[in-house]
Amino acid sequence: MVELRVHGILGATGDELTDSVASVDVAGDGVGRIMRPADRLRRPVPGPVLSTGDRSVPRIVEGYVWGGMTSGGLSKATWALLFPFALANMAHWMLPPVRSGSALSRGLSTVLRALLRLSALLLTMLFVAQITVVSLDLVAAQCLSPGAPCLEFVPSAVRSLDVLRASAALLPVVLVVLLMHRLSTVSWQVSARKTDKPQHSARAPMLPGANVVADPDTPALRALHVIAALSTVAMLALGGPFLTTADPRWILAAALIGISVVGTVGLDDPARMKPDGKEKVLRGLLGRTPRRVLMTASALLLCSVALLPGPLNAPLPGSGPTIDAITSALVVTCVAVAVLLTPATLLARSTWKTCPRPLRPWAGGWMSAPVLMFACMLGNGFGAGLAFTVRQTLVVDNAPGSPGPTLPDAFDDVTIFWGTTAVLLAIAAVIGIPLLLLKRWRTTRTEGDSSIPDEIALLHAGRPEDQRAAANAWKWADLQRRYSHIVLLVIAGVLAVSTALTVVARTMELPPLIDTDWLVGIGVASLAALAAGLLRMVFLAASKRDTARYLGVLCDLVLFWPREAHPVVPPCYALKVIPELAERATEHLADPNTRVVIVGHSQGSLLAAVATARLLDSLPEADRERVGLVTAGSQLQWAYPRAFPGVVPHMSLRDLAGTLGGRWRSLCRGTDPLGGAVTTWNRQVYDGMLIGVGFRADGTEGPLPAATRGPTGALVLGGDHWLPDPQRGPFACRRWVPGVLGHTDYPGDPEWDRAVAMAAGLETPVRGATLPLRPQTPTPAQAPAVPSAPKTQHLTAQGGDGGSLTDSVEELTQAPEEPEAAPEDESTPVTVPEQQDVKTRPKPAVLPEITEPRGRSAPWERAMSLGSSEN
C-alpha cells in the first residue's frame, strides 16, 4: 500500500510530511519534490507496516512537497505586492455556475466574466499610473525642477535637461511593466503527461476541479495588459484622457487603450470549446504577430514621450484626470458586477437549492463582488500609500514658503476613502465584538458553565476534564468557521459605504460644519501604514524563513487558481501539483498488487481531491478499486464548495464519493477552526447514538447508520472520523500527543492508520467497536487476561457498521458519585504472568476495553498479553 501525502498551507519539510527524522527525494524536479523517509545512510526506506485486522500490509509513505512554489527567497516574497491582482483573478473563479439550458444565465455569465477581466485591466492601469505619478510627477516634474528645494545634491545641469529627467523617471516604470510581463510568462514545468480536457470555467464540473485548467488566451491577455499599461503612462504624460489635442501620440495612446479594452472584453472562451465564431476571429486578430506589432507601437510611443516630454517645471496636468478616470471606471465595473450577480445567482440557485442551508454558497453565490471590490480598493490603497510615503520623504521642513511636492486631488479622495474605512471598521469592531461576547455570555448563562454538548459528551465519554477542554475549543472553532465569510461581507459593506461617501464628498459641496481634515489625516496614516507594513513584510520574508512561510499563506490561498481574469499573477501551482500527483499514483498502480491512497491535509485536501478525481477519470474500471482518498482538517465542505460553487460544487463531491465507493475517509476535529466535516452534515445525538446525513457509498446522499466507535476512541459516521481532541491516553506502544491539537498533527492520532486502511479497501467499518461509557475499575484478580466482550444489551447493530452506544447522553454528563479513578482505570488491565518482574517496572497503561463484532479483540490490543505469554 502506497500512502501519498500532500501538505497544506504554511508548507512543510519532507521530514514533517513523511513523519520521519530524515527524508530524501525519490522523484520530482526539485520544485515539486516527492520524498520518502530515510535511514542513517540517507537511503529511502518504506514506512511502517499498516495493521489491518489480522494481518499487516507493507506500506510505502511518500510526500509531495510543493511549498517552494509559493514561498522562499526575495523573488517570491515580492509576489505579495501583486496580491490585489491575485484577488481579482480569484474573484473570477467565485462566480456562480451557469444554469443548464438557460440562455439568460449563459448571457449573464458571459457579461460578468467580461466585466471581471475589464476590472483586472483597469487595476493594472491604475497601478502603473500611480507609479508614474510618483516617479514622473512628484520626482521629475516637481522635486527635480530648476530651483526646487528638495534633493539638492542633484546638480543644476541635470535639472535643466528635461529629456534626462523624463528618461530617468520613466525608467523605473518601464522596469515595473517588464517585470510584470516577465512574471506573467513564468509557468511551472509539469513533469507529467497532459491529461487536461476542455472544460469551460463557467460550467459546473461533474468531478471537483475538472475545470481548473490553463487558459490558452493568457498570452493574448498578457500582451493587452502590457499595451494598456504603457499607453496609460503615455496618456498621463501627454495631458490625460480629457485633453482635446491633435497630438498624434495622444491619439495613438487612446487607440491602443481602446484596442486593449475591446480585446480584453471579447476574449471569452477559456478552453477553446467553440472552434469558430467571433472568438476565432478575435484570436486571429490577437495572434503572435499582431501582438508583437501592438507592443512595439506602445513601446515606441513611450520612447517618444521620454524624448519629447514637454515642460516639466510644475505638477503634470494629466495626473489627476488619469487617476480619476481609471478609478471611476473601476467603481462602475464593481457596481455592475454586484448588480448583475444578483439575477445570475438567482438563476443558478436551482443547482444548490436541494442542499441543506449550511452547505449552500456564501451570500447565495454573491461572494465574487466583495472579493473584487476588496482587490480594487486594496490595490488603489497600496499605490496611494506609496505616493504619500514618497511625498512625505521629499518634503523639506526648513525651506520657508515651500510646501513641497503636491499630489493630484484624486489622492485626497483616496485618503478620505481610507479614513472613512478605518473609522467604520473601528465602529464595526466596537459594536460587533461586545455583541459577540454578550451572545456567548447569554448562551453560557442559559446553558450553564458545566453544560457539555451531546456530541462532545459522546466523543469524550467518561472523561469530564477532556469534555470541558474540548467544549471551549469547539465553540471558538465553530464560531470561526460559521462567521469567517461574514467578516468579509462586513468589510465589503464598509468599503461600499466609504466609496459612496467619497463620491458624495467629491461631487457635492459639503456644508461648512463638516470638516474632513481629520478623515484625511486618518487616511494618510492608514495608507502609510499599509504601504510600510507590506514592504517591511516583504523584506522580512526575503531574509527570514518563518516570515516567508507565513507570507506564503497568502500565495497558498490565491495562487491555486489559474490565470483567467488577470494574467499578471504568479504561476498557478495547482496546474503542476495535480497532474504530477495523478502521474505518481499511476506509476504505483502499474503493479497490480499495489493500492494507492492520496492523503491531503488542509489546503492539500483540495489538491488531493482534484488529483483523485483526475486519476479516477483516467483509470480503467478495474483499477479504480485500488485508489483511496483521505482528507484531514479539510475545508471541502464549509469553505470551498460555498466560496467556489462553480469549481467545487456539492454535487461533484457527492459524485466523487460515489465513485470511490466508501474509500473516501475524512479525519475531523471539532476543535479545528480551519477544518471540519466533509462527507456528513446535520449531525445530532439521539438515544446515545450519533446520527446524521451524508454521502453514501452508492453515490447518493441521505440518512446514515449510527456512528460506531473505533478502537482508538474515534466516532465514525459515514466517511467522517471524529477524533477525540484531547486524545485518549497515553497508552503503551502507541503514539500520543497531549493537549488540544486543533488543526495540527493529524498523523499523530492513532485513527490515522485505520482511516488509511479503510481508504485502501483493506478494512471496513464493520470492525468498529464501542468503548465503555463509564470508567471500569475491576480488581486485578477479577481482570481477565484478554478483554472480554460487553453484554449483548449494550451493543446495538446499526446497518452492519459494528455497533452504537445506547446509554443516554444525560448519564454521560452526570458526575459519578464515587471518587474518580486513576486514568488507567478507564481500561481493563491486562494480567501479567507471575514470572515477570512487575515491581521493578511501572504499571503499563493499557487500552480501553474494546468489543469486536466477532467476539474477540484485535491482535495489536493483545500484543502485551501475547508478549508476556511468550516470555
Side-chain angles (χ1 to χ4, degrees), residues 187-217:
S187 297
W188 301 119
Q189 186 68 31
V190 181
S191 302
R193 294 171 297 177
K194 182 176 177 57
T195 58
D196 292 344
K197 298 180 181 179
Q199 294 282 345
H200 202 291
S201 60
R203 302 178 185 176
M206 295 299 296
L207 290 177
N211 52 5
V212 180
V213 296
D215 186 359
D217 292 331

Side-chain angles (χ1 to χ4, degrees), residues 39-117:
D39 60 11
R40 293 184 177 181
L41 297 180
R42 308 291 294 174
R43 296 174 299 188
V45 296
V49 295
L50 185 66
S51 298
T52 59
D54 297 335
R55 59 175 176 167
S56 297
V57 178
R59 170 169 54 176
I60 296 176
V61 176
E62 291 186 347
Y64 189 100
V65 181
W66 55 271
M69 302 183 196
T70 57
S71 62
L74 179 61
S75 60
K76 293 185 177 64
T78 55
W79 288 357
L81 302 177
L82 302 180
F83 184 64
F85 295 170
L87 274 180
N89 183 68
M90 188 178 71
H92 173 277
W93 295 97
M94 302 180 78
L95 289 173
V98 178
R99 181 177 178 179
S100 178
S102 174
L104 180 59
S105 178
R106 187 166 55 252
L108 285 173
S109 178
T110 301
V111 175
L112 284 170
R113 293 195 305 272
L115 288 174
L116 284 171
R117 291 192 302 273

Side-chain angles (χ1 to χ4, degrees), residues 103 139 153 174 183-184 189 240 304 367 451 543 563 567 590 675 677 837:
V139 178
F153 61 89
V174 174
L183 178 63
S184 61
Q189 186 68 31
S304 68
M367 287 298 294
S451 176
S543 57
R563 296 159 174 152
D837 186 7

Side-chain angles (χ1 to χ4, degrees), residues 474-485:
W474 274 59
K475 290 179 181 179
W476 285 111
D478 181 69
L479 194 69
Q480 295 183 49
R481 290 192 300 267
R482 183 175 298 180
Y483 297 107
S484 58
H485 70 287

Side-chain angles (χ1 to χ4, degrees), residues 205-468:
M206 295 299 296
L207 290 177
N211 52 5
V212 180
V213 296
D215 186 359
D217 292 331
T218 299
L221 284 176
R222 180 192 311 128
L224 293 175
H225 276 247
V226 172
I227 295 168
L230 296 178
S231 302
T232 300
V233 176
M235 178 69 71
L236 187 149
L238 294 173
F242 306 118
L243 178 66
T244 303
T245 178
D247 190 339
R249 296 180 298 173
W250 187 95
I251 298 175
L252 178 59
L256 291 175
I257 292 176
I259 292 174
S260 301
V261 171
V262 173
T264 301
V265 171
L267 284 175
D268 185 41
D269 189 11
R272 294 191 178 181
M273 301 184 70
K274 298 178 181 179
D276 52 6
K278 65 180 181 62
E279 289 82 6
K280 183 177 181 180
V281 175
L282 188 58
R283 285 196 184 91
L285 295 177
L286 294 176
R288 178 174 299 181
T289 300
R291 293 200 303 264
R292 290 180 176 179
V293 172
L294 293 174
M295 293 178 66
T296 303
S298 60
L300 293 176
L301 174 64
L302 189 60
C303 291
S304 68
V305 172
L307 297 177
L308 300 172
L312 295 177
N313 299 323
L316 296 180
S319 297
T322 303
I323 299 295
D324 281 337
I326 300 175
T327 305
S328 301
L330 265 178
V331 172
V332 171
T333 54
C334 288
V335 172
V337 168
V339 171
L340 293 179
L341 263 179
T342 303
T345 53
L346 292 177
L347 290 172
R349 187 175 179 273
S350 60
T351 61
W352 62 68
K353 66 178 181 180
T354 57
C355 297
R357 186 171 298 275
L359 304 184
R360 296 178 183 178
W362 286 334
W366 194 76
M367 287 298 294
S368 180
V371 171
L372 175 63
M373 179 178 293
F374 186 66
C376 295
M377 299 310 170
L378 188 63
N380 191 5
F382 176 71
L386 180 64
F388 278 105
T389 303
V390 173
R391 177 187 175 278
Q392 190 64 27
T393 305
L394 296 177
V395 170
V396 180
D397 295 332
N398 57 2
S402 176
T406 60
L407 287 170
D409 295 337
F411 285 87
D412 294 335
D413 299 336
V414 177
T415 59
I416 295 176
F417 168 81
W418 280 97
T420 307
T421 301
V423 172
L424 292 178
L425 287 177
I427 294 175
V430 169
I431 296 176
I433 294 177
L435 287 178
L436 185 63
L437 296 176
L438 179 62
K439 181 179 179 180
R440 186 181 179 189
W441 176 76
R442 287 181 176 179
T443 303
T444 304
R445 185 179 179 182
T446 303
E447 298 178 355
D449 294 336
S450 60
S451 176
I452 303 297
D454 294 346
E455 195 171 352
I456 300 175
L458 189 63
L459 187 60
H460 297 274
R463 302 174 69 93
E465 293 184 2
D466 289 351
Q467 289 177 3
R468 289 189 292 269

